[in-house]
Amino acid sequence: MENTEFNLNWVKLGIAGAAAFLGTAWRLQILLACVLAVLMAADWITGTRAAKRSGTWSSKAARDGFDHKIGALVVLIVAVMTDIVFTEAAKMMPWDAPAWPWLWMTLVEIWYCFTEAGSILENCAKLGTW
């Protein structure tokens, strides 16, 4: 009789393999995406704390900040699509066109990491941190 019991180890192996593949193929981009996610969360937390401390917290301002973060993610998706189009177009050129895979995505991720870090610093200054 065949063992039909579900084995969680195969799921873990699959997830680890996928993570290893993505980590090797897109090491910098995955790292930047993780850093950006942490910075966005820290900006949201420090911004909320600073607004509550000053007594200016409002749901409208919180929604505006959240909408800004969603907009940044949409810009990142557009950058990924742009990279895909440029990479495929470079392959079709009759001459040797330079192909810089993931150039725009990397630049957008770095840009938003800097802007989120700056916003965190502003929020920390509002919280009284020098």
Side-chain angles (χ1 to χ4, degrees):
M1 185 171 274
E2 195 175 315
N3 184 2
T4 58
E5 185 178 310
F6 181 73
N7 190 347
L8 190 59
N9 288 332
W10 286 106
V11 174
K12 291 178 189 176
L13 180 65
I15 292 171
F21 170 76
L22 289 175
T24 321
W26 294 343
R27 186 174 40 235
L28 176 63
Q29 287 75 22
I30 296 294
L31 175 67
L32 285 172
C34 291
V35 168
L36 181 58
V38 168
L39 288 173
M40 283 183 161
D43 182 39
W44 179 74
I45 291 167
T46 58
T48 301
R49 292 297 306 148
K52 285 190 176 197
R53 181 177 180 163
S54 67
T56 60
W57 188 91
S58 71
S59 58
K60 182 188 180 323
R63 273 193 314 274
D64 290 345
F66 185 73
D67 289 345
H68 176 75
K69 302 218 178 307
I70 294 297
L73 295 176
V74 169
V75 170
L76 184 59
I77 290 169
V78 170
V80 169
M81 288 194 246
T82 303
D83 279 330
I84 292 169
V85 168
F86 282 165
T87 302
E88 292 304 313
K91 292 177 187 175
M92 295 180 200
M93 295 296 163
W95 60 86
D96 288 334
W100 296 303
W102 311 118
L103 171 70
W104 297 109
M105 181 175 87
T106 305
L107 291 174
V108 167
E109 284 177 326
I110 291 170
W111 173 262
Y112 279 117
C113 282
F114 280 133
T115 59
E116 291 294 327
S119 181
I120 291 167
L121 292 176
E122 288 175 352
N123 294 336
C124 289
K126 291 175 186 174
L127 287 169
T129 305
W130 291 94

